[in-house]
Amino acid sequence: MPASTERYPSLSHWGAFTAVVENNRLVACEPFRYDPAPSSILESMPGMVHSDLRIARPAVRKSWLRDRQRADGADRGAEPFVEVDWDTALKLVADELARVRAAHGDTSIFGGSYGWSSAGRLHHARTLTHRYLYAGGGCVDQAGNYSWGAAQFLLPYIIGTYAPVTGRVTDWNSVAAHTKLLIAFGGLPLRNTQITSGGAGEHSAPRWIERARQAGLEFVVVSPTRADVPDGVPARWIPIRPNTDTAMMLALVHTLLVENRHDADFVHTHCTGFDRFADYVLGKSDGTAKSAAWAQQVCGVPAEDIRALARQAAASRSLLTCAWSLQRAHRGEQPYWASIALAAALGQIGLPGGGFAFGHGSMNGVGNPRPGVASPEMSAGKNPAARSIPVARTADMLLHPGARYEFNGSTGAYPDIKLIYWAGGNPFHHHQDLNRMARAWSVPETIVVHDSWWTPTARRADIVLPATTTLERNDIGGSSRDRYVLAMHKALAPYAQSRNDFDIYRELSALAGHEAEFTEGRDEGQWLRHIYERLAKNWRGAGMQAPEFEEFWRAGYLELPEPDREYVLFDTFRQDPEAHPLQTPSGKIEIYSERIAAFGYDDCPAHPMWLEPAEWLGAKAAERFPLHLMTPQPADKLHSQLDAGKTSAELKLKGRQRVYISPSDAARRGIADGDLVKIYNDRGACLAAATIDPKTMEGVAALPTGAWFDPDSSTLERHGNPNVLTLDVGTSRLTQGPSPQSALVEICKWDGPAPAVHAFDVPAIEPGGAHQPATHG
Ligand SMILES: Nc1nc2c(c(=O)[nH]1)N[C@H]1C(S)=C(S)[C@@H](COP(=O)(O)OP(=O)(O)OC[C@H]3O[C@@H](n4cnc5c(=O)[nH]c(N)nc54)[C@H](O)[C@@H]3O)O[C@H]1N2
Ligand SMILES: Nc1nc2c(c(=O)[nH]1)N[C@H]1C(S)=C(S)[C@@H](COP(=O)(O)OP(=O)(O)OC[C@H]3O[C@@H](n4cnc5c(=O)[nH]c(N)nc54)[C@H](O)[C@@H]3O)O[C@H]1N2
Ligand SMILES: [Mo]
């Protein structure tokens, strides 16, 4: 009998699509009809949605079920689980939260739950985790994010806002019309533009880059790999040692100053402290001129190329854009601040197509022209515990309760965490130095995780609750960087016994007596309507069309017109800095910040400086570990999501992540293309498949993120997860951002037998019934 085919509009962070369903099975994801450049990551979804890696039923770690909070946390991940029914599981969670709140207080619960979750905004797991924990008295949260954590806390001091990292930068309309030279530090890898947080109807980046190219814009890509040149675009590649862009930027300023090509008026009318910075660049304050010859020694870019680029940038309408990766590194504040100082010296900030920007190649939709109206949003409410730690300091907190830390001008003390609640994130993907993280993870008494799949984090929980995927519920999604709002129709019945995070938290809230606070009296349908109506009101107020909810839901999408006006960052400030000051103390661009100076941080002084990162090719440690490891975003998935899927599997080699190394580095180590290699440093080691890549510069290795963490009993990671090698320290005391891009390693050929990869094994699960949960008085 031919199956009947049903089609449902849907959305993911990698794009909008139509779910094609036959007999309750997802058979295909057809790209949204208005998407000019859909992502192949969609092809991984059918296999993953019906995968044996799905969590079928609530499950509890065996010894935790027996001994509760007294179970040994060090056994997490190594023990079987016991399945329990939903009523039992929910009661265990509710009772344990109540116990911990009563015995240790709300700030002994860590509910930061950092992670991307799904694109739908109502069922966004992290937001719902916050709603639930806040309604019950609050928790310790995480401030900032892994994406642009350093920039978020630095930029407000310098330019009064961090909007340019959320994507509000001089738009592509303006760039295509005016920019002559675009210098992209970290490049414009189209790979990363498959993704938009909250999902996109339209992958706009490839089209805009092509438009700019046709308009005659010249692209210069400054990066350790030529792979950061967008495919099919003739760009000049300037290879640079990782983590040394600041030195190159300082030398560009130096050239402008000594050749008197800088905009002396602009730096005085629109900036403060440029002179003090210039004294540093010229070597008047510390005896070292940051000349092109000096920079060549640091960053490896020939001095003559630096000088030529400075002259060209000054002579034409030029835009500097830095990938977010530059600040996801030790001392990551410096390249961002230095790029603003360089743009100030060039004097084109606020001019059409000129100045500075961030992230044009980091995510789809950065610089995408879009009217500045609302996108769909679900609120988490307010955290009554009013406590948070810098996002990436999780392991520090767990390992050192009570220890003091500095952050953004104040000093805090780490709380003593007894219970971790995580839904919608994968810390055993995202955190640095995972062997250290594994030790930290053994400290709390109880860990609760919701996920749809048996991820490395789910396997290391005490109580695991199975969540539906986006296809198994109704939702609404969209991004402030995209012109579409998408309806997400329920296309499949929930897998096995999985439930929506919303329903799990509603029931837990009911058990704790705060259901009304959690739901605000709305069910799924009423929330969707509420989120939509708030958005529609905002759009109509701005003169945009938005139909009634029913019509939107039936059509499956809502579209904003493409604005024909250009958006230019800080154009009014440029025209009249007195009438339109920035939100900085001086109202101007702070090249020297008195506020930052007052903190007295030697790791983030009062103006941009070349500060050696803890690990880079010029460090002493490079004698033992002579390769700088980059950990770029993966082309074939989103972080760890869909790692077991088709698109990701096709890019692996013999089931392992590929590491990209230069032909000369491979030859020196006797490594042939496809060889199994060990990558190691003092923090850990992993196996990966070598790909000899002429695009990667000598001295650099690139191991994309996302391979599910798979350590053997000796902590050798077998699958190619770079975070066993990365450095778990804050970028500086100012922002405490994550520093994964600063890691030195050595690589050797693996000569022994190849150990099997167990990343996608399902943990041992014992059926419930035989082990009724013990009761503790
Ligand atoms: N070395 C290195 N490390 C990095 C980076 C780097 O550049 N280098 N980049 C960092 C960056 S920028 C980021 S943003 C982080 C990303 O880190 P994460 O956001 O933690 O990574 P994801 O793999 O997206 O994790 C999302 C998890 O949510 C689950 N999930 C999806 N939908 C649902 C749902 O509906 N309900 C529930 N309960 N769960 C769901 C997924 O299965 C997955 O386990 O990684 C960081 N880590
Ligand atoms: N396909 C895909 N796309 C994604 C994601 C994904 O998981 N998969 N994740 C999304 C997320 S959450 C984020 S935050 C963004 C991150 O966006 P980015 O931070 O921009 O992405 P990365 O891939 O980490 O880095 C971009 C490039 O920077 C270069 N680079 C690294 N270190 C240096 C350096 O010191 N100097 C210079 N000049 N270049 C350097 C690398 O060659 C790398 O290819 O990506 C988003 N896009
Ligand atoms: Mo990110």
Side-chain angles (χ1 to χ4, degrees):
M1 242 190 22
S4 70
T5 302
E6 295 141 32
R7 312 164 76 79
Y8 302 91
S10 196
L11 176 69
S12 63
H13 293 299
W14 41 95
F17 63 98
T18 301
V20 184
V21 173
E22 290 175 2
N23 293 329
N24 198 38
R25 285 193 77 84
L26 178 69
V27 295
C29 297
E30 285 174 2
F32 184 51
R33 78 188 104 134
Y34 299 115
D35 189 347
S39 164
S40 65
I41 299 174
L42 283 175
E43 292 167 28
S44 287
M45 293 187 75
M48 285 301 282
V49 165
H50 301 290
S51 155
D52 291 343
L53 277 168
R54 285 292 299 269
I55 304 170
R57 281 166 285 275
V60 184
R61 181 163 72 99
K62 194 169 178 180
S63 69
W64 196 94
L65 191 56
R66 192 182 57 228
D67 302 331
R68 302 289 170 86
Q69 75 274 13
R70 286 174 290 275
D72 187 349
D75 293 336
R76 290 189 178 114
E79 257 187 80
F81 283 88
V82 180
E83 289 183 338
V84 297
D85 60 42
W86 268 108
D87 286 349
T88 306
L90 292 172
K91 186 151 182 351
L92 283 175
V93 174
D95 287 353
E96 179 60 1
L97 264 151
R99 180 192 73 80
V100 172
R101 284 198 196 277
H104 306 287
D106 301 317
T107 56
S108 65
I109 295 167
F110 186 52
S113 199
Y114 180 80
W116 266 53
S117 312
S118 61
R121 296 295 95 171
L122 165 58
H123 289 289
H124 188 252
R126 188 189 192 207
T127 307
L128 296 176
T129 305
H130 287 167
R131 275 187 81 82
Y132 163 62
L133 292 175
Y134 295 175
C139 63
V140 175
D141 193 6
Q142 287 164 290
N145 62 39
Y146 279 74
S147 309
W148 27 260
Q152 175 174 347
F153 296 107
L154 170 76
L155 293 180
Y157 294 104
I158 316 308
I159 53 174
T161 172
Y162 64 88
V165 278
T166 68
R168 201 80 178 130
V169 292
T170 296
D171 70 16
W172 279 109
N173 261 335
S174 185
V175 173
H178 306 281
T179 313
K180 293 284 170 270
L181 176 70
L182 187 137
I183 307 177
F185 293 89
L188 301 163
L190 291 181
R191 159 195 93 223
N192 287 357
T193 65
Q194 294 176 91
I195 302 299
T196 314
S197 168
E202 174 191 32
H203 286 92
S204 55
R207 174 168 64 89
W208 279 114
I209 290 173
E210 177 57 21
R211 274 261 280 277
R213 186 189 73 81
Q214 281 175 9
L217 185 152
E218 183 181 347
F219 293 89
V220 173
V221 166
V222 182
S223 165
T225 166
R226 188 150 45 86
D228 288 333
V229 172
D231 307 323
V233 172
R236 180 144 50 99
W237 175 45
I238 300 185
I240 187 165
R241 285 189 193 131
N243 287 200
T244 65
D245 303 76
T246 305
M248 178 168 172
M249 292 168 185
L250 294 174
L252 289 164
V253 175
H254 184 273
T255 302
L256 298 175
L257 290 173
V258 296
E259 297 185 2
N260 205 19
R261 294 175 196 270
H262 68 296
D263 189 330
D265 288 340
F266 183 83
V267 297
H268 287 119
T269 51
H270 290 75
C271 304
T272 88
F274 188 85
D275 291 344
R276 289 216 226 181
F277 170 66
D279 284 350
Y280 165 76
V281 169
L282 294 169
K284 289 185 193 160
S285 52
D286 68 350
T288 304
K290 312 305 172 300
S291 65
W294 166 85
Q296 177 176 343
Q297 300 302 313
V298 177
C299 68
V301 180
E304 212 27 69
D305 292 356
I306 298 176
R307 287 189 203 104
L309 189 63
R311 290 170 199 141
Q312 188 185 357
S316 48
R317 181 56 51 88
S318 52
L319 181 71
L320 315 171
T321 185
C322 290
W324 297 341
S325 58
L326 267 73
Q327 50 85 64
R328 206 176 306 113
H330 199 225
R331 308 294 178 249
E333 299 81 9
Q334 301 309 315
Y336 267 40
W337 201 351
S339 77
I340 294 171
L342 171 59
L346 288 166
Q348 301 186 22
I349 295 170
L351 293 181
F356 67 89
F358 306 110
H360 277 101
S362 299
M363 197 171 283
N364 182 61
V366 173
N368 184 37
R370 178 196 188 272
V373 293
S375 54
E377 267 175 38
M378 172 77 177
S379 124
K382 219 169 126 68
N383 181 6
R387 210 43 202 283
S388 66
I389 59 157
V391 68
R393 302 277 45 83
T394 307
D396 284 357
M397 169 189 72
L398 296 172
L399 290 167
H400 305 293
R404 301 185 81 70
Y405 64 92
E406 287 177 273
F407 174 47
N408 206 10
S410 55
T411 304
Y414 290 123
D416 188 358
I417 297 300
K418 303 294 182 199
L419 186 149
I420 296 179
Y421 208 124
W422 220 300
N426 186 357
F428 282 89
H429 159 74
H430 66 235
H431 200 67
Q432 282 59 69
D433 196 349
L434 287 179
N435 291 318
R436 181 170 186 261
M437 181 60 167
R439 292 192 291 280
W441 198 253
S442 73
V443 173
E445 295 175 346
T446 300
I447 299 180
V448 185
V449 169
H450 303 188
D451 208 300
S452 310
W453 292 275
W454 281 110
T455 63
T457 299
R459 285 194 225 177
R460 284 165 179 77
D462 299 319
I463 304 177
V464 177
L465 302 181
T468 54
T469 65
T470 46
L471 290 153
E472 297 148 48
R473 58 206 187 204
N474 293 302
D475 214 330
I476 180 170
S479 159
S480 60
R481 304 181 175 106
D482 185 69
R483 294 191 298 111
Y484 292 88
V485 174
L486 284 304
M488 303 166 70
H489 291 197
K490 178 174 173 178
L492 298 169
Y495 177 85
Q497 286 189 16
S498 60
R499 291 188 183 176
N500 300 338
D501 296 285
F502 183 88
D503 296 321
I504 299 171
Y505 287 132
R506 185 174 47 72
E507 295 201 29
L508 287 171
S509 295
L511 288 173
H514 53 68
E515 183 180 357
E517 284 92 321
F518 177 76
T519 64
E520 291 180 48
R522 297 188 189 96
D523 63 13
E524 182 189 74
Q526 288 162 326
W527 267 111
L528 292 178
R529 189 178 289 272
H530 175 72
I531 292 170
Y532 179 82
E533 277 164 7
R534 224 172 20 189
L535 172 117
K537 188 166 169 229
N538 172 284
W539 284 27
R540 290 179 198 128
M544 307 284 157
Q545 308 273 324
E548 291 305 309
F549 176 76
E550 282 74 16
E551 197 184 325
F552 155 71
W553 193 253
R554 221 177 307 116
Y557 70 95
L558 180 65
E559 184 184 359
L560 280 171
E562 212 170 282
D564 40 25
R565 241 187 100 247
E566 294 170 20
Y567 175 78
V568 176
L569 182 70
F570 297 154
D571 53 352
T572 54
F573 163 70
R574 179 175 188 109
Q575 284 149 22
D576 188 344
E578 310 299 324
H580 304 281
L582 302 184
Q583 302 300 307
T584 54
S586 61
K588 298 182 178 183
I589 299 169
E590 304 228 338
I591 309 296
Y592 182 100
S593 165
E594 297 286 357
R595 274 203 194 162
I596 293 178
F599 300 147
Y601 297 146
D602 57 358
D603 54 4
C604 190
H607 61 67
M609 282 179 84
W610 163 245
L611 303 174
E612 282 193 46
E615 295 186 21
W616 68 294
L617 288 172
K620 178 110 181 71
E623 290 167 14
R624 286 176 61 220
F625 301 113
L627 296 170
H628 192 119
L629 182 74
M630 300 199 298
T631 56
Q633 310 299 316
D636 48 353
K637 55 189 162 268
L638 172 64
H639 316 132
S640 70
Q641 297 193 46
L642 310 178
D643 185 36
K646 175 173 177 278
T647 308
S648 171
E650 282 170 2
L651 200 64
K652 291 186 200 225
L653 205 59
K654 297 181 198 130
R656 268 175 255 264
Q657 179 62 54
R658 292 168 190 259
V659 59
Y660 300 86
I661 49 171
S662 71
S664 53
D665 281 318
R668 204 167 296 137
R669 292 165 177 80
I671 295 167
D673 196 58
D675 276 353
L676 185 60
V677 293
K678 182 171 96 164
I679 315 173
Y680 61 98
N681 60 22
D682 287 337
R683 291 179 289 273
C686 70
L687 299 179
T691 293
I692 297 178
D693 176 24
K695 290 181 171 176
T696 303
M697 74 183 262
E698 205 178 306
V700 169
L703 180 64
T705 60
W708 283 18
F709 182 50
D710 181 31
D712 71 7
S713 53
S714 76
T715 77
L716 173 70
E717 204 284 331
R718 296 169 288 202
H719 193 199
N721 184 320
N723 275 328
V724 295
L725 301 160
T726 49
L727 183 64
D728 183 17
V729 299
T731 50
S732 79
R733 287 179 283 168
L734 183 77
T735 75
Q736 294 284 8
S739 303
Q741 304 298 345
S742 306
L744 291 172
V745 298
E746 179 53 297
I747 300 185
C748 66
K749 197 172 155 175
W750 177 266
D751 283 321
V757 175
H758 291 281
F760 303 134
D761 292 358
V762 171
I765 295 173
E766 298 178 0
H771 299 264
Q772 283 307 318
T775 44
H776 286 269

